[in-house]
Amino acid sequence: MSADTGLELPASPPGAGARRRGGTWRSAFATPSGIAGVLLMAGVLVLAAMAVLGLTPASPRAQDVSQGLLGPSGTHWFGTDQFGRDVFSRVASGLANSMRVAVVSVAVSGVVGITLGVVAGYYQGLADRVVGVVNNVLFAFPSLLLALALAATLERSWVTVSVAIAVVYVPIFARVARGPVLSLRTADYVVAADAIGRSRLSTLVEHVLPNMAGILVVQTTLSLSWAVLTEASLSFLGFGTPPPAASLGGMVYEAQTLAVIAPWMLAFPGAALVLAVVGLNLLGDGLRSALDPRRADR
Amino acid sequence: MTSLRTAFSHPLPRRVGEAAITLLGVSLLTFVVLRVVPGDQITAAYGIAAGELSPEQIRSLQAYYGIDQPLPVQYLGWLGGVLTGNLGISANSGLTVAALTAQALPNTIELAVLAIVVGLLLGVPGGMLAASRPGRARDGATQLGSLVALSVPSFLLATAVATFLANQLGWYPNGEGYRTLLEDPWLNLQQMLLPATVLGISIASPVLQTTRAAILGIRAEDYVRTARAKGVPPRRLQVRHILRNALIPVVTMTGLQFGFLLSGALVAEQIFAIPGIGRQVLLGLNQQEYAVVQSTVLVIAAIFVLVNLLTDLVYRLVDPRVRVR
């Protein structure tokens, strides 16, 4: 699991980073992989938006068995499944579901995990010990197994799936946030802020957090791709987003027995899933190289 | 007190102590999470007929399964059982969970080991190739390939391979019942080939990235320059001086991927019908047998913690620089 974003901390005080910010985003999207990531994610978001706004050619749940297992055509761009449901509309709806679960789970785990990591690293002592033990326990489970156990015991819906994935990601965010805080709290400008009598909390908010924002942005992007994969795996195993709602993992599961006679049922949801994950990974890579001070002068 | 503190400041006892505390937390979390399973042992054993049981019958059944006790008592009873080797009983099969696990675990371990072999065979040469011309076309191509491999979920690759390859080649080694390595080595290896390859591909990416980074890092070391300056032949330099040292972080990375493999095994065992420990969990969840799930999840987490501990210790043994700390 990619817990390490591979970023170094900025040595400069806040302000210097802010001046560069416009340039950071521009250079993130100027690398070939960054551009590819942006384009892929734009495509994914357009499809997801179509599904959310009800602009897909058909309802993702509308069945018509007489139109079952049709190949791709002008009316059904990605073909139909065994119930005659339009695969294109279901892929769009499945992408919307993936994005929704990924954003909610990463938002929850990010807020909780970063708070835990920052508190542990900044205040140390007992807080650090307790967070350390909780982290060790959560890390002791293979990630999919923990998410599976949680998702299986809660009532099945996309919200509980998001919560299950969020729990798995809390320790990763906590660890990623703790490291930079440990070195930033002894940085000269943080010590200086303490020395002129700022409260510890305002030093934390004004000087420590802004300087680790880059690391957290990269980690968040990469976590989104892992969350998409985990949601899909859970749905494939039958413990994710419940049918008849469309989920990419669930569609792959349904295609398992039919893929030989209806390969489009496997190919399109599979491709959508892979492209969404590749897009998020490329975006994360682009951001990482743009935010990496070692590569700034290249 | 002081002697105790000195003992715990050594890496080995401290790491073992940490692992023990972690495992205790793991057992508590497993118990709390799985005790929320909707439905209980009685509905699992009697199905719809459970609705016709009288309150007295339900009470006596609860007493039979030990679920009438307060939760802390149930937890301590379970923990005490686990520590003495009693993992509980599967109500459906009537077998002990320990017996089921003893059957399933070797299959999962075999799968994981084979997957690691595949992952190393793909990742190490790939990383060497990428590092041979950093920043050039073959580096870019290898990196792109590794990114795509990282982005294809195991369940998708496994489904595609199981469906199309088997259908195209007319080769269904997993169609017949599973045979263990001891029962029928040749058929067993055929049955393991596809799942091990799928899982191996999923861990090849991090292995590749680690190999590449390690080779690039070591190539810049002074002793490599010295060796080159005194005329060590390039091939010998590559293998003896660079690759051998680069493998240290690769070994660590592979150890850390073990948990990921156990996650992947959940999926691969399900798709390729391998009766391993991941399938035991899924079966238990589907049949709402929390005794099976609870103990099996604990066993998996314990294995994971032990492998991480071993990786850490082996790393300290191999790399003298870590030992100093």
Side-chain angles (χ1 to χ4, degrees):
Chain A
M1 194 160 295
S2 56
D4 181 17
T5 57
L7 276 183
E8 282 185 355
L9 291 164
S12 54
R19 250 183 286 126
R20 259 200 1 231
R21 190 158 296 148
T24 300
W25 286 102
R26 215 172 307 132
S27 61
F29 302 142
T31 61
S33 62
I35 295 170
V38 171
L39 289 178
L40 280 173
M41 285 324 290
V44 166
L45 291 180
V46 165
L47 283 180
M50 279 175 76
V52 172
L53 300 173
L55 297 177
T56 48
S59 158
R61 297 190 192 189
Q63 302 190 6
D64 181 359
V65 186
S66 68
Q67 300 290 304
L69 296 178
L70 298 177
S73 67
T75 33
H76 298 291
W77 299 338
F78 290 179
T80 62
D81 68 5
Q82 75 270 37
F83 302 115
R85 295 178 296 194
D86 182 47
V87 173
F88 176 82
S89 307
R90 286 184 70 73
V91 165
S93 169
L95 278 173
N97 175 60
S98 294
M99 289 299 128
R100 187 170 48 200
V101 170
V103 168
V104 171
S105 60
V106 170
V108 172
S109 59
V111 169
V112 176
I114 292 170
T115 307
L116 286 179
V118 168
V119 167
Y122 197 63
Y123 295 98
Q124 308 242 293
L126 185 67
D128 201 15
R129 296 255 180 100
V130 171
V131 172
V133 170
V134 171
N135 260 6
N136 280 345
V137 169
L138 290 176
F139 268 128
F141 294 90
S143 55
L144 186 59
L145 182 69
L146 182 57
L148 184 73
L150 287 165
T153 55
L154 302 168
E155 199 184 325
R156 219 150 288 174
S157 77
W158 71 268
V159 180
T160 53
V161 173
S162 307
V163 171
I165 297 174
V167 172
V168 176
Y169 285 84
V170 162
I172 297 173
F173 274 104
R175 196 169 63 175
V176 168
R178 181 179 173 272
V181 172
L182 279 183
S183 43
L184 279 174
R185 68 196 293 272
T186 56
D188 287 342
Y189 55 88
V190 173
V191 175
D194 278 343
I196 61 170
R198 304 296 296 270
S199 76
R200 302 209 70 187
L201 191 66
S202 76
T203 310
L204 180 69
V205 173
E206 280 177 42
H207 296 290
V208 176
L209 288 181
N211 276 299
M212 49 191 284
I215 292 175
L216 298 178
V217 166
V218 173
Q219 181 59 41
T220 304
T221 319
L222 296 176
S223 298
L224 283 173
S225 81
W226 281 98
V228 168
L229 281 180
T230 309
E231 188 280 328
S233 301
L234 287 178
S235 295
F236 177 84
L237 291 173
F239 293 95
T241 310
S247 66
L248 297 175
M251 293 177 77
V252 171
Y253 176 77
E254 284 171 16
Q256 231 180 348
T257 48
L258 294 162
V260 174
I261 50 167
W264 55 88
M265 278 181 65
L266 178 63
F268 289 110
L273 180 60
V274 172
L275 290 177
V277 177
V278 168
L280 286 167
N281 279 334
L282 287 174
L283 212 57
D285 277 357
L287 285 171
R288 171 163 40 201
S289 29
L291 291 164
D292 190 341
R294 284 168 299 181
R295 300 193 198 174
D297 49 340
R298 278 188 203 167
Chain B
M1 187 62 206
T2 346
S3 65
L4 194 71
R5 186 166 292 166
T6 336
F8 269 86
S9 66
H10 278 282
L12 182 67
R14 200 183 61 218
R15 292 287 286 114
V16 171
E18 275 175 17
I21 294 173
T22 303
L23 281 177
L24 198 64
V26 164
S27 71
L28 195 61
L29 182 63
T30 312
F31 181 83
V32 170
V33 167
L34 290 170
R35 214 23 85 92
V36 197
V37 177
D40 55 28
Q41 201 68 59
I42 299 168
T43 11
Y46 294 89
I48 313 170
E52 292 169 12
L53 294 171
S54 69
E56 290 80 37
Q57 284 173 311
I58 289 181
R59 256 194 300 279
S60 79
L61 280 168
Q62 279 176 338
Y64 175 72
Y65 288 115
I67 49 182
D68 58 337
Q69 309 268 334
L71 285 178
V73 176
Q74 289 187 36
Y75 170 69
L76 290 176
W78 174 59
L79 195 63
V82 167
L83 289 176
T84 52
N86 174 13
L87 297 179
I89 291 173
S90 153
N92 284 343
S93 61
L95 293 168
T96 64
V97 180
L100 288 174
T101 307
Q103 274 174 15
L105 197 53
N107 302 334
T108 303
I109 291 176
E110 187 195 348
L111 180 60
V113 169
L114 289 174
I116 286 174
V117 171
V118 173
L120 288 175
L121 285 178
L122 291 172
V124 173
M128 290 167 68
L129 188 72
S132 62
R133 294 266 187 285
R136 293 299 195 65
R138 68 168 77 154
D139 188 19
T142 326
Q143 300 265 23
L144 187 67
S146 113
L147 181 81
V148 172
L150 197 66
S151 305
V152 178
S154 308
F155 75 84
L156 181 61
L157 190 59
T159 305
V161 164
T163 317
F164 292 109
L165 214 58
N167 192 57
Q168 291 293 315
L169 303 176
W171 180 53
Y172 303 97
N174 304 81
E176 306 154 50
Y178 178 80
R179 297 282 185 284
T180 63
L181 190 60
L182 294 177
E183 284 167 9
D184 187 344
W186 176 233
L187 184 60
N188 173 271
L189 288 177
Q190 288 187 55
Q191 290 177 328
M192 284 288 185
L193 180 68
L194 290 180
T197 308
V198 166
L199 287 184
I201 288 175
S202 71
I203 63 161
S205 271
V207 170
L208 187 149
Q209 299 294 351
T210 313
T211 310
R212 177 181 179 277
I215 290 181
L216 289 181
I218 287 165
R219 191 183 286 159
E221 294 276 348
D222 288 341
Y223 63 81
V224 174
R225 200 176 44 191
T226 310
R228 192 177 286 132
K230 74 172 189 185
V232 174
R235 181 167 292 271
R236 194 179 152 85
L237 186 77
Q238 275 294 337
V239 177
R240 286 287 294 270
H241 295 259
I242 299 180
L243 188 60
R244 257 174 74 172
N245 285 305
L247 285 180
I248 297 174
V250 173
V251 167
T252 317
M253 177 42 109
T254 313
L256 294 178
Q257 289 301 310
F258 195 78
F260 186 74
L261 278 178
L262 290 176
S263 286
L266 277 172
V267 169
E269 288 172 1
Q270 185 73 356
I271 295 174
F272 292 100
I274 291 169
I277 200 151
R279 209 151 178 248
Q280 186 170 311
V281 171
L282 282 171
L283 210 62
L285 281 176
N286 282 324
Q287 299 177 342
Q288 296 182 348
E289 286 209 90
Y290 66 74
V292 177
V293 179
Q294 202 171 304
S295 296
T296 313
V297 167
L298 184 64
V299 167
I300 295 177
I303 293 172
F304 189 24
V305 170
L306 288 179
V307 168
N308 281 350
L309 183 65
L310 279 178
T311 309
D312 193 41
L313 297 178
V314 166
Y315 186 58
R316 282 168 199 280
L317 222 63
V318 177
D319 192 342
R321 283 167 301 182
V322 188
R323 238 181 293 167
V324 181
R325 280 186 208 159

